[in-house]
Amino acid sequence: MVAGLMPSALLSARMCVWRQNRAWGSGMERSDKGATRRAGTAYSVLGTQCVIVAILLLLPGCVRNDASIGTVEAVWGRLGISDGRFQTPRAIAIDKDDNLYIVDKTARIQVFKTDGTFLRSWSTPDHTNGKPTGLFINREGNLMVADTHYFQVLVYSLQGEMFPKLGGVKGEKPGEFGLVTGIAEDSQGNLYVSEYGEYDRIQKFSPAPERRFLLQWGGHGDQPGQFVRPQKIVFDEDDHLWVTDAGNHRIQVFDTQGKLLKLWGTQGDKPGELYYPYDIVLAPHDTLYICEYGNHRVQKLTRDGRSLGCWGHEGRGEGELFNPWGIARDSHGRIYVLDTNNHRVQCVRME
């Protein structure tokens, strides 16, 4: 026995050795003694490597942090195209009645109760070029859809009735769009649209029905105020716009005129670090939740970027995630995570 190994690490090592035994078993049964010896040597080396891995898992900075601040309350959905099933769900929104709106790569917008009960669905008009990647419910109670690959924002009633859209022309001029990702509205009803690709910017428009272009800011890059795929935008109670600058692995906060107020985040997988933050939910007590596509987790932080804990890691089981794209928080404080490449939703109670 290797001194200092914890039971879980020993179990991992033993399972690893057992798997290598199975893999090399046929080679060790050969009649040729040289082949047997080579297979046995390879088995010993690989078995030793597994024990070394188990030891390394216990070193500071190498341990996967299984301590979780979340408890799974429900898991629903699975791969498919029928009602209640998903094909790579990529955006989620929640209305005042706690109904969930989810769009997947079939371009279907499906509506659910929080327990996963399917209510209704509809599809965007055209999705040959690509599917939507953002949803937002505005002040008027309508669902706005970031129709990413058609360079536009679609607008629907919560029952699926379509209203006049915004945009539809690809370009860099005011009112034209690149690949639309996020939508938000300030307290005055002004609309903000984020986009990535060639432009990586945010445009601001006047309240409905005019939706007149007012200003823009950003640009592709890693300097303060620039973006690499601003995936989600959301306003706080002070009319400050929070942006998940996904490709730069950071959060940026702006006022309504595009002035940078706050920036934090560095690339990594430790608590407080970020790896492709795709979605953000602001919560009470100056806290927030960030969905990290690259780290397969949801992280709770203070609004100045101090980590309060994480939930989730890569995998297929309950409580595990595979490239999550979105999160939503209901009126009871439960978090709904789009477990995107597992084609499902997990409901989590986080501390």
Side-chain angles (χ1 to χ4, degrees):
M1 180 178 292
V2 181
L5 279 183
M6 293 171 63
S8 60
L10 275 174
L11 178 60
S12 297
R14 288 169 181 165
M15 289 298 294
C16 187
V17 172
W18 177 82
R19 282 193 286 269
Q20 298 304 335
N21 186 18
R22 291 290 301 273
W24 285 101
S26 58
M28 294 178 69
E29 293 168 0
R30 297 174 187 167
S31 59
D32 178 74
K33 293 183 179 179
T36 302
R37 188 161 48 249
R38 287 191 297 272
T41 301
Y43 163 73
S44 299
V45 170
L46 287 169
T48 302
Q49 288 175 341
C50 290
V51 175
I52 292 172
V53 168
I55 296 171
L56 289 175
L57 285 172
L58 300 176
L59 296 177
C62 296
V63 181
R64 187 185 74 188
N65 181 15
D66 285 327
S68 176
I69 62 168
T71 303
V72 177
E73 293 196 352
V75 180
W76 44 269
R78 56 178 171 144
L79 179 63
I81 59 173
S82 58
D83 291 347
R85 298 188 183 186
F86 303 109
Q87 284 200 355
T88 320
R90 299 199 294 180
I92 185 171
I94 191 166
D95 68 19
K96 62 180 179 61
D97 297 318
D98 280 349
N99 294 316
L100 297 164
Y101 299 75
I102 298 172
V103 66
D104 68 4
K105 288 191 75 173
T106 66
R108 291 177 304 162
I109 298 164
Q110 298 188 77
V111 187
F112 299 89
K113 292 183 179 180
T114 53
D115 63 0
T117 301
F118 172 83
L119 297 176
R120 57 187 176 275
S121 70
W122 67 91
S123 296
T124 57
D126 194 358
H127 45 82
T128 304
N129 295 340
K131 316 304 187 294
T133 61
L135 297 176
F136 169 70
I137 296 178
N138 66 13
R139 291 154 49 92
E140 297 174 343
N142 295 322
L143 182 70
M144 308 189 82
V145 180
D147 197 10
T148 307
H149 300 275
Y150 288 87
F151 324 110
Q152 62 188 2
V153 175
L154 303 176
V155 186
Y156 294 93
S157 73
L158 298 186
Q159 301 301 315
E161 178 187 356
M162 194 171 187
F163 299 138
K165 66 181 183 181
L166 175 67
V169 176
K170 181 182 180 181
E172 60 182 340
K173 297 178 182 177
E176 298 176 344
F177 294 115
L179 298 168
V180 179
T181 54
I183 308 153
E185 222 173 22
D186 66 21
S187 64
Q188 303 304 307
N190 297 302
L191 191 72
Y192 300 73
V193 180
S194 61
E195 53 192 283
Y196 81 101
E198 300 174 61
Y199 314 122
D200 281 300
R201 64 181 176 179
I202 294 173
Q203 295 191 63
K204 177 181 178 179
F205 299 88
S206 64
E210 292 85 5
R211 294 300 186 205
R212 176 173 48 87
F213 172 84
L214 298 176
L215 60 90
Q216 66 179 13
W217 73 90
H220 184 81
D222 59 6
Q223 297 301 304
Q226 295 182 321
F227 307 110
V228 177
R229 189 168 184 146
Q231 181 62 35
K232 182 63 179 285
I233 56 177
V234 61
F235 273 100
D236 66 17
E237 58 278 2
D238 296 319
D239 262 357
H240 295 159
L241 185 67
W242 294 70
V243 183
T244 60
D245 187 7
N248 284 321
H249 316 289
R250 65 189 183 187
I251 301 298
Q252 299 196 67
V253 186
F254 301 88
D255 69 13
T256 56
Q257 298 303 306
K259 178 183 176 182
L260 180 63
L261 303 175
K262 187 183 301 186
L263 182 156
W264 51 261
T266 56
Q267 180 178 344
D269 60 3
K270 297 176 183 177
E273 297 176 338
L274 303 172
Y275 192 42
Y276 292 103
Y278 265 26
D279 204 350
I280 182 171
V281 167
L282 302 178
H285 311 300
D286 286 328
T287 61
L288 54 83
Y289 299 90
I290 293 179
C291 172
E292 297 178 64
Y293 176 91
N295 277 333
H296 313 281
R297 70 184 181 188
V298 176
Q299 187 167 184
K300 183 178 182 180
L301 305 104
T302 63
R303 295 196 185 182
D304 59 3
R306 180 172 58 87
S307 181
L308 299 174
C310 303
W311 174 82
H313 54 257
E314 184 176 4
R316 300 289 190 180
E318 181 179 295
E320 298 176 331
L321 301 170
F322 192 3
N323 297 132
W325 272 64
I327 51 175
R329 182 177 183 271
D330 71 13
S331 60
H332 302 285
R334 294 171 297 202
I335 303 296
Y336 299 83
V337 186
L338 284 188
D339 190 1
T340 300
N341 284 332
N342 285 326
H343 315 285
R344 64 188 181 184
V345 175
Q346 297 200 52
C347 174
V348 186
R349 176 76 67 176
M350 297 186 69
E351 299 172 6

